[in-house]
Amino acid sequence: MRKFILAIAFWIAAALPAWAESKAIETTIRAQITALQADDFDRAFTYASPTIQQIFRAPEVFGRMVRQGYPMVYRPSAIEFLELASVEGYYWQKVQIRDSQGRYHIMAYQMVHLDGVWRINGVQLLPSQEVGV
């Protein structure tokens, strides 16, 4: 019985840091989407990594890219966080987003940890897994 309790305690201790990282990552993504929904591109831009900020240079340019290239992120009707994975030193958070027409999209957010905070380093639209009508 003692070994079982120790195994459970070890599993919980190992899972807590990953859970904490997952919640911090979710908070960052959710905050950026909330800022985008409010058309607050200045605030949304602060959640982007320095690499993304350098590419787009200005919050307005970033906002235009999101509106045109990722309308489901700009105006989602629902968001659900899926699995978080670590691949070659980067964390990837999958997010299921339902757009205003009721279609589902799976997005993969590449996250980087800089100066104690999580930043979004890119977003990929993954191929649809929906079955044809």
Side-chain angles (χ1 to χ4, degrees):
M1 179 69 166
R2 184 172 183 211
K3 286 183 181 182
F4 176 74
I5 291 172
L6 286 174
I8 294 294
F10 177 76
W11 181 82
I12 290 171
L16 283 176
W19 182 84
E21 296 299 341
S22 176
K23 291 301 167 192
I25 287 170
E26 287 178 20
T27 298
T28 299
I29 295 169
R30 198 176 295 277
Q32 186 181 61
I33 291 172
T34 299
L36 291 167
Q37 289 176 305
D39 291 328
D40 187 348
F41 301 119
D42 290 330
R43 186 166 46 105
F45 200 53
T46 67
Y47 298 105
S49 71
T51 301
I52 298 300
Q53 291 176 353
Q54 185 176 14
I55 291 169
F56 292 101
R57 304 232 177 238
E60 300 78 26
V61 176
F62 176 75
R64 187 170 48 248
M65 178 277 300
V66 172
R67 283 192 315 269
Q68 293 172 355
Y70 298 94
M72 71 290 285
V73 174
Y74 177 56
R75 293 291 190 255
S77 64
I79 302 166
E80 180 182 348
F81 288 89
L82 305 174
E83 66 269 9
L84 174 66
S86 177
V87 179
E88 296 182 11
Y90 290 100
Y91 279 91
W92 289 88
Q93 175 65 60
K94 283 189 181 177
V95 181
Q96 178 176 274
I97 295 178
R98 189 173 68 219
D99 66 22
S100 59
Q101 286 79 40
R103 294 179 302 234
Y104 288 90
H105 308 272
I106 304 294
M107 312 299 291
Y109 282 76
Q110 185 186 64
M111 305 298 295
V112 293
H113 199 248
L114 302 168
D115 300 324
V117 296
W118 286 100
R119 300 284 186 95
I120 299 167
N121 199 46
V123 179
Q124 293 180 353
L125 175 61
L126 300 179
S128 175
Q129 298 177 4
E130 292 182 344
V131 176
V133 181

